Amino acid sequence: MIARVEFLRSLGAATTIATGGFDVWDPLTPQIRVLVAADTGGAMPQVAPDATFAFGGKRWRGAPSTIGMPGGRLALVTTIDVDEYLLGVVPLEAPPSWPAAALQAQAIVARTYALGRRSLSRPYDVRADDADQHWGGVEAEVPAATAAVQATRGRTLTYGGSAASVYYSSCCGGRTADVTAVWGGTPQVYLRGVDDPHCVAAPDYRWTRDVALDRVLAAFGPRTGGTLASAALGDADAQGRARAVVLSGTVQTSIPVAEFRRALGYEVVRSSWLRGIRVESTQAAPRLVIEGSGRGHGVGLCQWGSRFYASSGASAAEILAFYFPGTSVSGG
Ligand SMILES: [Zn+2]
């Protein structure tokens, strides 16, 4: 049992700390619990008169509380209306200069994602970092994103009358990925791959990166006999995407693409859609050259595609219907 130590606001005003049970929440602006820090290091949130609080050099919204975690650590969680949280999420996920419809689509997807993460078995629902959605707090808020959150108040993505499971990433590379190809599990009709003509002008639509062979060997050398002579893509899935990278030294090994990305870093291996891989040993320092399409996992909403589709006149509902076929926008 996790002990909760709550710091009530010093204002004497009604607090918004939810003590359990979703039924107390306003259905249009349900509350969520956001993990601001997994370990406070002994620091305390400083609650301000304007219903914000300072912690870790930033200002945040909601009602902060600390939670005792295993090992004696204290975590900081804030309980907050989901739309207040979205004010500091949407501007970090979609540049405020993007068309309003793209910002609104992002707001609906981010709201659906956050509400879908509500859990009675965890002491928080979402993390404030990239493990869920990056929340930048009050300083991240900008008027264009705030307008998108307000314009979509209460709206979420549904499928067959139930909340949809939503994902998004920066650029799909021309076709979104099937959810099962990336994470396995059960196929979902609205998370199948769709051809995307909208993101062709995105910065990472096609990319090439190279990595020093030393770095590759540091990660995979023990599995290739300590050398690397050649590299190739492994068998393709039903959508034609390689499932693995085959590295050949004195020993040949097959590395699943997800593991390959994790080991070499997401800045280098920018997506799960690899188009080519080779060893270039003609240079003084041999390198592994990797080519691919898109940025991120590619499942669900393509953010760059959404931006260009919105520029051509699509509404948020049309954007979402394109990337999540068969879903609809409910509420609000
Ligand atoms: Zn795309």
Side-chain angles (χ1 to χ4, degrees), residues 9 35 46 50 64 81 111 114 127 156 173 238 240 242 255 263-264:
R9 290 181 183 170
L35 180 69
Q46 304 298 313
D50 63 355
D81 286 357
R111 182 183 294 110
R127 300 173 60 105
T156 55
I255 313 219
L264 295 187

Side-chain angles (χ1 to χ4, degrees), residues 170-176 194-200 202 205 300-306 322-323:
S170 177
C171 174
C172 74
R175 181 173 174 81
T176 65
V194 296
D195 288 325
D196 182 7
H198 306 296
C199 61
V200 63
Y205 186 73
L301 178 76
C302 169
Q303 292 169 300
W304 273 98
S306 168
F322 177 80
Y323 289 106

Side-chain angles (χ1 to χ4, degrees), residues 69-90:
M69 302 292 274
R73 290 180 295 118
L74 280 181
L76 181 66
V77 171
T78 182
T79 301
I80 180 173
D81 286 357
V82 67
D83 277 21
E84 280 195 284
Y85 154 80
L86 291 176
L87 298 180
V89 169
V90 172

Side-chain angles (χ1 to χ4, degrees), residues 115-140:
L115 296 178
R117 294 285 292 164
R118 283 180 297 177
S119 169
L120 289 173
S121 60
R122 288 192 305 259
Y124 60 87
D125 301 314
V126 292
R127 300 173 60 105
D129 60 21
D130 288 337
D132 283 306
Q133 303 182 119
H134 190 191
W135 181 35
V138 176
E139 282 87 358

Side-chain angles (χ1 to χ4, degrees), residues 154-237:
R155 292 187 190 150
T156 55
L157 205 62
T158 63
Y159 178 75
S162 302
S165 297
V166 294
Y167 302 92
Y168 57 88
S169 61
S170 177
C171 174
C172 74
R175 181 173 174 81
T176 65
D178 187 303
V179 66
T180 59
V182 178
W183 293 298
T186 314
Q188 180 55 263
V189 64
Y190 58 87
L191 295 175
R192 288 174 309 182
V194 296
D195 288 325
D196 182 7
H198 306 296
C199 61
V200 63
D204 283 309
Y205 186 73
R206 297 283 184 269
W207 53 263
T208 301
R209 291 289 185 280
D210 57 60
V211 196
L213 228 51
D214 289 351
R215 188 170 157 198
V216 182
L217 287 172
F220 301 115
R223 291 156 67 175
T224 63
T227 61
L228 185 60
S230 67
L233 298 181
D235 291 343
D237 65 17

